[in-house]
Amino acid sequence: MNVKKHPDLIVGFEHADDAGVFRLNPDIALIQTIDFFTPMLDSPFEFGRIAASNALSDVYAMGGRPITAMNIVCFPADELPKSVLQEILAGGLEKIYEAGAVLAGGHSIDDKELKYGLSVAGLVHPEKVLTNCKAQVGDRLILTKPIGTGIIATAIKGKLADEKAIQAMIAVSATLNKKAAETMLRFAPNACTDVTGFGLAGHLLEIAKGSRKSILLDTSAVPVIPQAEEYARMGLIPAGAYKTKTFCDKNMSIDLSVNPVLADIIFDPQTSGGLLISISNNNTERCIDAMRQEGVEAAVIGKVTGDHKDGFIAVI
Ligand code: CO
Ligand code: CO
Ligand code: CO
């Protein structure tokens, strides 16, 4: 596909980044993103909250602030009562308002398979756009949510998840990355993305490739939802995790001492995961402290160890 370049398109199609960014004038750039998916749990309201948190997250990952959102809905009107759709939209609206954005419209079509999400517009200063490609040697890597939501979603699908696990997944996935993002911006981060479908390791590799760096990932420091670890030990790993593992294979080494369960969990596709931030060693501790004060479960999970033209991750 031949996509035209434009001098004001700061982040476009060629980057594997979270959103597109277009400079409107020297002080303001527009961030545009769209995300929608099928439900991973039975509660329409919680599904709405999770899908909206996920869509808004890409604006936060670019260092921006969401301003407007539009609903995108595929709904089987013959099979489900309208109240289901109303609950989904109410859940989404709660998160749009929490983000400080407004609902500006939307579009729905009749579809056999229910899907919901948002198209979100945000603003950022053109020189403060955060991408995957500016991680520096010596940086520390911060993750702002525990991982394991894909494993719990797989357990829900197999009717194996207990209520506690479902609530744990909702608590993580429906948390907006707003506080994490606002706090991060106070400490001059170098690069950022959010952890979604490619899992922690896959998104970390995007930073390594984009920044042409080698990264050390310390699995013992990675926060994991306890129920997810339990299910992973029972072998409940989503197929997507293995696909990502194969995809990452030639740019990654996993030390033999790594717990094999953790070696799978790092590839678990996340629904509305946390921010993954590359930040100077000097600012790391203060940033982590500030995040914890805001109630963000942030952890330092690795560091940028050197230059590497293809990008590489050493997992220990
Ligand atoms: Co993203
Ligand atoms: Co996205
Ligand atoms: Co980004």
Side-chain angles (χ1 to χ4, degrees), residues 18 56 59 68 77 79 93 102-103 125 134 142 147 161 166 183 195 202-203 212 216 262 265-266 270 306 316:
D18 305 289
L56 288 156
V59 172
T68 59
E79 285 164 46
L93 197 58
V102 293
L103 183 66
H125 191 286
K134 286 181 182 155
I142 294 176
I147 59 171
I166 297 170
T183 310
V195 181
H203 289 283
R212 301 161 77 93
L216 184 77
L262 277 176
I265 295 177
I266 57 170
Q270 299 304 285
I316 58 163

Side-chain angles (χ1 to χ4, degrees), residues 80-95:
L80 291 174
K82 228 181 158 183
S83 61
V84 169
L85 180 55
Q86 284 163 347
E87 280 183 56
I88 293 171
L89 298 181
L93 197 58
E94 183 192 291
K95 288 293 156 180

Side-chain angles (χ1 to χ4, degrees), residues 16 29 34 37 44 56 75-76 101-102 137 144 170 179 199 202 206-207 230 248 252 254 261 270 289:
I34 179 165
F37 45 53
L56 288 156
F75 194 73
V102 293
V137 176
T144 68
I170 292 171
K179 282 181 181 166
E206 282 179 347
I207 292 181
E230 207 178 289
C248 293
M252 202 174 275
I254 301 179
V261 173
Q270 299 304 285
D289 286 347

Side-chain angles (χ1 to χ4, degrees), residues 15 131-139 190-191 203-216 251 278 303-313:
H15 301 266
T131 64
N132 289 330
C133 44
K134 286 181 182 155
Q136 306 293 317
V137 176
D139 275 6
N190 290 322
H203 289 283
L204 203 51
L205 186 56
E206 282 179 347
I207 292 181
K209 282 181 172 174
S211 306
R212 301 161 77 93
K213 296 285 181 282
S214 54
I215 285 174
L216 184 77
N251 297 73
S278 189
K303 58 184 171 186
V304 182
T305 50
D307 294 309
H308 192 292
K309 70 175 170 49
D310 303 317
F312 192 84
I313 299 184

